[in-house]
Amino acid sequence: MTYQRGDVVWAVDPYRSGSNPRPWVLISNTSLPYADSEYIGMILTTKSHPGGRQLTASDWEYGQPPRTSYISPWTVGTIKHDQTRNVQGRLRASVVDEVVDDLESYIEAE
């Protein structure tokens, strides 16, 4: 099974060696090379950071984490499908579009 844009999945944590997986929101679409075996994602965290996007119950199409969570739009990575586990839910397309716009503001030419 492959996932789609907006799915929140558990995957490896590249920032903590040997740690447990953490939730990622998948932001890539089917035009990504190897879209059937890897994804671009942003990390979800329970910590509020400047520029982070707090998630509310209305942001989810289905599912949601047990604690207040935030998307950190600057924490982007490529995740291989075999590094993922369990779908936690799916965010609404408008939420994914919003955090992708936030990411673009960090990387576009000034």
Side-chain angles (χ1 to χ4, degrees), residues 48-65:
S48 174
H49 298 286
R53 166 51 157 91
Q54 182 176 348
L55 296 174
T56 65
S58 64
D59 292 330
W60 296 83
E61 283 187 28
Y62 68 86
Q64 69 183 64

Side-chain angles (χ1 to χ4, degrees), residues 30-92:
T30 57
S31 69
L32 179 72
Y34 311 106
D36 59 340
S37 62
E38 61 185 36
Y39 314 94
I40 298 171
M42 292 179 183
I43 287 178
L44 269 67
T45 180
T46 57
K47 295 184 175 108
S48 174
H49 298 286
R53 166 51 157 91
Q54 182 176 348
L55 296 174
T56 65
S58 64
D59 292 330
W60 296 83
E61 283 187 28
Y62 68 86
Q64 69 183 64
R67 296 179 8 189
T68 302
S69 295
Y70 304 83
I71 300 174
S72 300
W74 58 90
T75 56
V76 178
T78 301
I79 307 163
K80 302 284 186 191
H81 184 77
D82 63 1
Q83 296 173 315
T84 65
R85 302 287 179 271
N86 305 332
V87 175
Q88 186 169 9
R90 179 173 300 139
L91 293 172
R92 297 190 184 285

